[in-house]
Amino acid sequence: MFIKPLTAAAVCLAACIGISGALAAPAGADIAQTAEPIRGVNLGGLFVLEPWITPSLFEEWAHTANTPVVDEWNYCAILGKHECQSRLMRHWGSWVQEQDIATLSDLRINTLRIPLGYWALAPNGSDPYVQGQIPFLEQILNWASKYQMRVILDLHGAPGSQNGFDNSGLRGDIRWTKRPSDVPRTLDALASLARIANQNPSVVAIQAVNEPANWGVSKETITQFYIQAYNTIKSIAPQVAIVFHDAFLPASEWESLVPRNLTDSILDTHIYHMFVDDVIRFNADEHIRKACTDGQTIRNFNQRTRTICGEFSLANTDCARWLNGFQKGARWDGTLPGSQPVANGASCHNQENMDAWSDNKRAFMQRFAMAQIQAYEQGTGWIFWNFKT
């Protein structure tokens, strides 16, 4: 199976995809011109580690107080390059298998978004990261072609970290663009992705950088980088679309990208219901209403610039182990430092155990899945996070 175990959210999503009647687009189809919505999944946790997705890789430090091993940078720094390489080669060779892609195709998924870090493409020898990812990436791209799936290559981690999240490879301070070498190295990584796209017709888009944080990097700096990224990628692979994340700003903030001749572009927004205190307290109907409102926003901006929801989930709690960071607790039950339980007696017990769900919980998950799918298909489509945990 492609899930070990199949996540509860993915079970509901798969059922709703079947209801929606999606049809796979042929490999090499132009993502910008195809009328069919993007219906995709992220292959997260493969080339950029996140402790909550692959907890077994971090388990040996689970009870070590104040451990620095909270992300891929420190994972490799503590293990050393030889041991890190050995462990990650095993991981890269096992986390995604052909049967996974075949199963996703059977579920009528038509797009794969594949996150990568700059260190796989334009490494800095002084960094602790290791290389060797590209042969495994190329194998997945071959499978994508075989099963007629489109691929978005996503630069998920930039030098110095563009957001301070562990999913950038380095948790902590936001240092991207602060050093003279950061942007050139990021552009070198994108150039490598463009060359890969030229050799693999399944690649139809490249994401300039995932989730740059506007509170750590100014919008002006991000905009200038996006223009450079567009020019770099298009000079090598003119056939691909360029995906720009909204940097956690309203879509209207990015209208200037279109007049600047960035017409072959897609705006990406990420929508989660469990990371904001007000939203995590919603009842079932409020979660559904938020999905509908988000869909209207996407629909409105999609009329100007193709817009996707490049990450979303069915989680309405943050109870998944280490979801908020390695060794961190949850807002839901108040175990995340600085938080209070969402309600008196709120507990994470069995929240992630699908076998323990009530009939009402199961019914809500199906409603929640369908509401989000229908909402985001008012734009150019959606990509679920994550294909497995």
Side-chain angles (χ1 to χ4, degrees):
M1 287 293 290
F2 75 101
I3 299 293
K4 42 176 204 180
L6 184 66
T7 62
V11 169
C12 298
L13 184 76
C16 290
I17 293 169
I19 294 170
S20 73
L23 299 174
D30 185 343
I31 202 168
Q33 299 301 325
T34 258
E36 177 201 15
I38 294 169
R39 293 172 171 132
V41 297
N42 286 276
L43 301 188
L46 175 59
F47 299 126
V48 181
L49 299 184
E50 297 187 40
W52 80 273
I53 296 179
T54 54
S56 61
L57 293 176
F58 291 83
E59 192 65 50
E60 66 187 89
W61 298 283
H63 303 293
T64 302
N66 301 315
T67 178
V69 186
V70 298
D71 50 37
E72 187 163 342
W73 173 288
N74 287 289
Y75 181 86
C76 289
I78 294 298
L79 291 175
K81 288 199 173 185
H82 178 77
E83 180 62 21
C84 185
Q85 180 95 44
S86 176
R87 295 190 188 191
L88 290 187
M89 288 286 284
R90 291 194 296 272
H91 171 64
W92 298 331
S94 61
W95 186 242
V96 178
Q97 298 291 311
E98 180 175 359
Q99 184 56 51
D100 304 343
I101 308 304
T103 302
L104 291 166
S105 177
D106 288 343
L107 292 171
R108 300 178 180 178
I109 291 296
N110 63 30
T111 303
L112 304 174
R113 181 173 179 257
I114 305 179
L116 295 111
Y118 75 90
W119 55 90
L121 305 154
N124 180 348
S126 64
D127 291 348
Y129 297 121
V130 297
Q131 288 71 53
Q133 299 91 334
I134 302 307
F136 297 99
L137 171 64
E138 290 176 338
Q139 180 64 81
I140 295 170
L141 296 179
N142 289 336
W143 292 332
S145 291
K146 178 177 178 179
Y147 293 98
Q148 297 187 302
M149 301 177 80
R150 303 173 295 197
V151 173
I152 298 172
L153 296 178
D154 157 41
L155 190 65
H156 217 71
S161 180
Q162 73 277 16
N163 53 34
F165 304 154
D166 58 14
N167 61 42
S168 71
L170 180 61
R171 194 176 97 184
D173 294 336
I174 301 170
R175 296 195 176 103
W176 180 59
T177 73
K178 305 301 190 292
R179 300 168 298 182
S181 63
D182 287 347
V183 169
R185 189 173 300 279
T186 309
L187 295 173
D188 286 346
L190 292 173
S192 294
L193 290 179
R195 287 189 286 272
I196 291 170
N198 279 342
Q199 299 300 316
N200 294 275
S202 60
V203 178
V204 295
I206 294 173
Q207 182 143 12
V209 69
N210 179 67
E211 295 185 343
N214 71 78
W215 56 89
V217 184
S218 71
K219 181 197 168 187
E220 291 72 23
T221 298
I222 296 170
T223 300
Q224 288 304 311
F225 167 73
Y226 279 167
I227 294 170
Q228 292 176 282
Y230 181 93
N231 291 334
T232 296
I233 295 167
K234 285 294 190 177
S235 69
I236 298 169
Q239 76 282 4
V240 302
I242 316 300
V243 182
F244 304 102
H245 183 261
D246 63 13
F248 306 102
L249 292 167
S252 58
E253 293 282 336
W254 300 105
E255 291 180 358
S256 63
L257 282 178
V258 177
R260 295 189 184 194
N261 296 320
L262 300 182
T263 54
D264 188 6
S265 60
I266 297 174
L267 185 69
D268 173 26
T269 190
H270 297 170
I271 301 174
Y272 290 108
H273 284 229
M274 67 290 199
F275 293 132
V276 179
D277 289 343
D278 291 344
V279 177
I280 200 173
R281 297 174 187 275
F282 281 178
N283 62 33
D285 289 340
E286 287 171 327
H287 281 293
I288 301 301
R289 284 197 292 271
K290 173 173 167 50
C292 295
T293 299
D294 290 337
Q296 292 169 2
T297 300
I298 288 174
R299 179 191 63 202
N300 291 340
F301 201 75
N302 193 69
Q303 295 172 358
R304 178 188 181 99
T305 300
R306 286 175 294 274
T307 304
I308 63 171
C309 181
E311 293 185 20
F312 76 103
S313 80
L314 303 190
N316 66 330
T317 80
D318 60 343
C319 286
R321 187 188 188 204
W322 302 336
L323 179 62
N324 293 301
F326 188 58
Q327 296 185 335
K328 292 187 177 183
R331 295 170 185 81
W332 186 260
D333 62 0
T335 55
L336 181 68
S339 70
Q340 296 292 326
V342 298
N344 290 334
S347 171
C348 282
H349 181 64
N350 277 337
Q351 288 286 350
E352 299 298 302
N353 180 6
M354 185 178 178
D355 292 336
W357 285 359
S358 67
D359 289 343
N360 285 342
K361 172 82 169 183
R362 292 170 186 271
F364 163 71
M365 279 294 181
Q366 289 193 339
R367 288 177 61 214
F368 194 29
M370 182 57 77
Q372 290 192 83
I373 287 172
Q374 291 178 340
Y376 308 147
E377 287 195 8
Q378 294 181 66
T380 298
W382 48 264
I383 307 175
F384 183 72
W385 189 281
N386 188 40
F387 87 114
K388 71 175 176 182
T389 59

